[in-house]
């Protein structure tokens, strides 16, 4: 029984190492691609995640960061003319982040760059779908 537990612990450790390694590769990839557009990695992640109008809280959740960090990033993107804050249609106390036309153009350029040489590119569509499914199951539980 002890050997079985040790094997499980080692397998878990190796799996955590692989996931951490992949996360580092993805972050380095985003960092390099964002830098070619004059963006920080956080700005690149924010642009990638801004799939439509959303609140700062929603953006922070998608970026896996604190709302104060998302606010800082949104402020910089707003200063650069890439996004605007609009009144939220369903909550008068909230604002929605909306990409400007130049922000939408920049996002499209970034997405194109991110698709080139992605750390996930060696995986087929089916393998990426399977990885997504497995990771989603592990995160939920």
């Amino acid at each position: 029984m002890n050997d079985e537990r040790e094997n499980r612990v080692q397998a878990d450790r190796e799996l955590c190492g692989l996931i951490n390694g992949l996360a580092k590769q993805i972050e380095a990839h985003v960092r390099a691609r964002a830098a070619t557009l004059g963006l920080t990695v956080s700005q690149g992640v924010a642009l990638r995640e801004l799939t439509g109008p959303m609140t700062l809280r929603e953006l922070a959740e998608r970026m896996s960061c604190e709302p104060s960090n998302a606010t800082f990033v949104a402020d910089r993107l707003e200063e650069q003319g890439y996004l605007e804050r609009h009144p939220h249609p369903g909550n008068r106390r909230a604002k929605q982040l909306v990409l400007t036309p130049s922000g939408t153009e920049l996002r499209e350029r970034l997405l194109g760059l991110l698709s080139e040489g992605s750390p996930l590119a060696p995986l087929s569509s089916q393998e990426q779908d399977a990885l997504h499914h497995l990771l989603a199951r592990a995160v939920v539980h």
Side-chain angles (χ1 to χ4, degrees):
M1 183 91 157
N2 210 12
D3 286 342
E4 183 180 323
R5 188 178 77 195
E6 282 300 318
N7 289 341
R8 186 71 254 156
V9 167
Q10 182 174 341
D12 286 352
R13 185 178 52 76
E14 289 174 7
L15 183 57
C16 289
L18 289 170
I19 292 169
N20 187 42
L22 179 59
K24 286 180 180 180
Q25 285 182 343
I26 290 170
E27 182 179 353
H29 178 72
V30 173
R31 182 181 310 282
R33 297 312 192 267
T36 66
L37 298 173
L39 300 168
T40 65
V41 67
S42 295
Q43 290 172 321
V45 170
L47 283 172
R48 182 189 67 199
E49 297 303 325
L50 279 164
T51 56
M54 66 183 65
T55 65
L56 273 167
R57 185 168 304 284
E58 291 167 327
L59 178 62
E61 188 173 306
R62 286 184 174 205
M63 292 177 67
S64 300
C65 70
E66 294 297 319
S68 61
N69 293 345
T71 299
F72 179 80
V73 173
D75 288 347
R76 300 296 82 73
L77 291 171
E78 186 174 29
E79 288 169 8
Q80 294 170 303
Y82 297 130
L83 70 79
E84 298 173 338
R85 286 175 167 88
H86 292 193
H88 191 286
N91 181 349
R92 64 182 180 178
R93 292 179 294 158
K95 298 282 186 188
Q96 281 190 320
L97 304 175
V98 178
L99 290 175
T100 63
S102 61
T104 299
E105 180 185 321
L106 181 64
R107 182 178 186 274
E108 289 303 314
R109 288 175 50 208
L110 176 64
L111 293 179
L113 290 170
L114 290 175
S115 68
E116 298 171 4
S118 165
L120 297 174
L123 301 179
S124 70
S125 293
Q126 294 90 341
E127 289 170 328
Q128 288 183 30
D129 290 345
L131 179 61
H132 179 272
H133 175 74
L134 292 170
L135 289 174
R137 279 187 52 207
V139 169
V140 170
H141 291 87

